[in-house]
Amino acid sequence: MDATTAPHHIPPEMPQYGETYHVFELMQNMLEQLLIHQPKDPIPFMISHLQQDNDNVPKIVILGPPASGKTTIAMWLCKHLSSNLVTVENLIAREFSSLAEVARKHYQKMKKLSSTQLIKLIQERLKEGDCVRQGWILDGIPETREQALSIQTLGITPRHVIVLSAPDTVLIERNLGKRIDPQTREIYHTTFDWPSESEIQNRLMVPGGISELETARKLLEYHRNIIRILPAYPKILKVINADQPCVDVFYQALTYVQTNHRSNAPFTPRVLLCGPTGSGKSLQAALLAQKYGLVNVHCGQLLKEAVADESKFGELIQPYFQKEMAVPDSIIMKVLSQRLSQQDSIQKGWVLHGFPKDLDQAHMLNSLGFQPNRVFFLNVPFDSVIERLTLRRIDPVTGERYHLMYKPPPTMEIKARLLQNPKDTEEQVKLKMDLFYRNSLELEEFYKHTITLNADQDPYTVFEYIESGIINPLPKKVP
């Protein structure tokens, strides 16, 4: 009998280790580099690649028509990400490079570089230590599809490609007001971005090639090339409307480059839902369990089931239930640990709600190795929670549940006999909400990569946001 057909008992530490240290992505990146460079001795090559530790540095391409603001956006991103700006101008201006010296002479004579020269300059520049350590941003490169494919052939692959877009009429008008600082190479505009310092104003120059006719010619050439470049970057491309304030364009670009692309790595969701009473945690957990097969772990329900099953833990819990006292954390953790350690929880993943409620409980959960990889905080205004909970009623005859606003009883006779759960009184709801918000800030700080959602909307809309937060990688936090 083939042993591989038997169910595998995977220790919970294994997938957590793989996710924490990005083992799958590490191996994938190393394999890609091996296949691209094909070194004669792979072992030293792999050691060198691992020592560089640069799999997550910025590797960005910014494209756009003339006057779209791509150079400004590229410079701002460089400053924010502490990366290196690579342009045609600074490539040919480099000192101590024989390639750049030859390219300069060719550029002075022909007013442009050949694709072969540009690719060699890029290859030389990106091999230098600062680009390896801090990454790079290519401004306006590649200019043609041939250049894009040549760059890819050399193993130079961007992680994010941004294309700025705006109507030609806007771009022509914008280009006429462009001015450049010859010292810093910063771009300014007579209408939209005029410097406040008189010293800078006095040294600004009118760049060449910004007349209406020349701009129209460049736009025609750009449109002819860009439609052939874009298919080279099918999954890493974002188009941003450049016909809006530059700051807005920058923040859209920054948000995109701080986003990790979806990985092919195996991923087992371990979801924690936090929120005040009445925020919809139970419903969202049920929806996640139904769609993705996650194990729905409701802390309160687990305790009730332990008592109902008359298990050894149930015998410990029963006295606290009878006296309506809080069950000690040590007992809760034993029950939770038993459920989260079962094979279905390890293989399928889980969604936990109702625990932890404070920092001490979070530390206990963490110390036992049950670390969620997605944490959601469901925020609901106090008035909405009061409306949701205090109007709930139950029919003692049929057991049917009603809500006086959203699901009113069909007859006055039924309405007259409805009862309210003592836990749903306004005083009890206020106490629970105060307790949650007293501890929520510490919990948010403890779970660093939390996702906060507005849960005061249609529950299926909330579910879509939660689903997106689980499927997509967590955003990088760049200071």
Side-chain angles (χ1 to χ4, degrees):
M1 180 178 172
D2 186 358
T4 59
T5 60
H8 301 290
H9 293 283
I10 305 167
E13 299 82 10
M14 286 178 63
Q16 288 184 25
Y17 180 88
E19 289 170 21
T20 301
Y21 294 100
H22 308 288
V23 173
F24 183 92
E25 293 87 345
L26 187 73
M27 300 302 294
Q28 187 179 44
N29 288 334
M30 198 153 54
L31 181 60
E32 284 177 0
Q33 294 304 311
L34 280 170
L35 294 175
I36 289 168
H37 296 284
Q38 300 178 14
K40 290 182 180 179
D41 194 344
I43 303 301
F45 176 87
M46 288 190 286
I47 292 171
S48 174
H49 173 75
L50 290 171
Q51 287 174 335
Q52 287 177 359
D53 190 26
N54 69 340
D55 285 338
N56 294 311
V57 299
K59 294 181 180 179
I60 303 166
V61 166
I62 298 187
L63 304 173
S68 59
K70 59 183 179 294
T71 298
T72 300
I73 300 302
M75 291 176 76
W76 288 0
L77 284 174
C78 273
K79 289 177 182 176
H80 194 89
L81 302 173
S82 300
S83 193
N84 297 283
L85 181 64
V86 179
T87 68
V88 172
E89 290 75 14
N90 66 27
L91 283 173
I92 62 176
R94 292 173 63 238
E95 299 178 358
F96 313 116
S97 166
S98 56
L99 281 175
E101 188 177 347
V102 172
R104 264 196 310 274
K105 292 176 181 176
H106 185 274
Y107 190 82
Q108 288 166 357
K109 183 178 179 182
M110 307 298 294
K111 299 302 179 188
K112 64 182 298 185
L113 291 180
S114 68
S115 291
T116 305
Q117 285 178 315
L118 181 60
I119 300 305
K120 286 181 179 178
L121 286 170
I122 293 169
Q123 187 179 23
E124 181 185 62
R125 178 71 183 95
L126 299 191
K127 283 182 178 178
E128 294 185 354
D130 57 344
C131 284
V132 172
R133 291 188 306 272
Q134 298 170 287
W136 41 265
I137 299 176
L138 297 184
D139 173 17
I141 304 170
E143 299 169 334
T144 64
R145 178 171 174 80
E146 290 70 28
Q147 290 178 9
L149 297 179
S150 297
I151 289 171
Q152 287 180 343
T153 303
L154 294 172
I156 301 169
T157 52
R159 290 199 181 87
H160 300 89
V161 176
I162 294 170
V163 178
L164 303 183
S165 176
D168 286 358
T169 51
V170 171
L171 296 170
I172 290 170
E173 183 181 351
R174 188 187 287 181
N175 214 25
L176 293 172
K178 186 186 290 186
R179 298 294 182 269
I180 190 166
D181 185 338
Q183 289 186 14
T184 65
R185 310 305 297 173
E186 288 266 9
I187 305 294
Y188 294 94
H189 195 277
T190 53
T191 305
F192 306 116
D193 186 23
W194 192 245
S196 54
E197 298 88 346
S198 58
E199 183 183 349
I200 298 176
Q201 293 176 8
N202 294 333
R203 68 172 184 248
L204 292 184
M205 298 174 60
V206 179
I210 64 168
S211 70
E212 187 171 341
L213 189 62
E214 287 173 302
T215 303
R217 181 183 58 77
K218 290 178 181 177
L219 284 169
L220 187 64
E221 184 180 2
Y222 168 81
H223 290 309
R224 191 163 50 237
N225 286 318
I226 195 66
I227 57 172
R228 300 182 65 238
I229 293 174
L230 299 188
Y233 306 111
K235 295 182 180 179
I236 56 173
L237 180 72
K238 182 174 180 64
V239 178
I240 297 177
N241 174 25
D243 188 17
Q244 56 181 320
C246 205
V247 172
D248 293 343
V249 177
F250 168 69
Y251 279 112
Q252 288 179 46
L254 180 63
T255 301
Y256 176 61
V257 301
Q258 289 179 191
T259 303
N260 290 313
H261 297 299
R262 287 179 65 177
S263 166
N264 293 321
F267 177 68
T268 305
R270 300 186 301 277
V271 182
L272 173 61
L273 299 180
C274 298
T277 180
S279 58
K281 300 186 295 294
S282 296
L283 174 58
Q284 297 303 326
L287 292 172
L288 285 171
Q290 181 182 24
K291 183 164 183 178
Y292 293 102
L294 306 184
V295 177
N296 187 349
V297 183
H298 186 313
C299 184
Q301 191 62 33
L302 273 184
L303 300 179
K304 291 175 184 176
E305 288 172 4
V307 172
D309 294 341
E310 298 181 352
S311 66
K312 61 177 183 178
F313 292 133
E315 291 174 6
L316 296 174
I317 297 165
Q318 179 71 31
Y320 295 97
F321 275 16
Q322 289 174 343
K323 297 174 184 177
E324 295 186 353
M325 294 171 62
V327 179
D329 289 348
S330 57
I331 298 176
I332 294 175
M333 278 311 308
K334 287 176 182 176
V335 177
L336 265 181
S337 180
Q338 183 186 57
R339 185 65 190 92
L340 296 177
S341 298
Q342 290 179 16
Q343 205 59 29
D344 61 345
S345 296
I346 296 169
Q347 290 182 335
K348 297 177 183 179
W350 42 261
V351 50
L352 173 63
H353 51 115
F355 191 95
K357 294 181 178 179
D358 58 41
L359 188 59
D360 290 338
Q361 291 181 348
H363 278 294
M364 290 175 69
L365 191 67
N366 206 49
S367 67
L368 292 175
F370 302 113
Q371 300 165 355
N373 48 25
R374 292 294 186 275
V375 180
F376 297 92
F377 275 78
L378 309 184
N379 279 348
V380 183
F382 176 76
D383 290 344
S384 296
V385 171
I386 292 294
E387 184 182 279
R388 288 183 183 187
L389 299 187
T390 60
L391 299 180
R392 294 194 300 196
R393 298 292 186 271
I394 188 167
D395 186 339
V397 176
T398 64
E400 183 75 22
R401 295 177 183 274
Y402 294 98
H403 190 281
L404 298 183
M405 182 176 291
Y406 303 124
K407 188 188 174 184
T411 67
M412 291 302 294
E413 180 188 353
I414 295 175
K415 185 177 181 180
R417 67 177 185 241
L418 294 182
L419 299 176
Q420 183 184 38
N421 190 319
K423 294 180 180 179
D424 288 345
T425 63
E426 189 168 334
E427 294 74 18
Q428 288 296 314
V429 173
K430 281 181 179 178
L431 284 173
K432 288 181 181 178
M433 288 200 70
D434 287 343
L435 183 62
F436 171 78
Y437 284 114
R438 202 179 304 148
N439 296 307
S440 63
L441 186 60
E442 288 184 332
L443 283 175
E444 284 190 59
E445 290 174 353
F446 179 76
Y447 293 113
K448 294 179 175 61
H449 297 286
T450 59
I451 300 173
T452 302
L453 301 173
N454 171 23
D456 189 23
Q457 50 186 326
D458 179 79
Y460 292 97
T461 302
V462 177
F463 177 69
E464 287 175 6
Y465 282 115
I466 293 175
E467 192 176 25
S468 173
I470 294 171
I471 292 172
N472 295 307
L474 292 167
K476 291 177 287 186
K477 293 196 175 181
V478 178

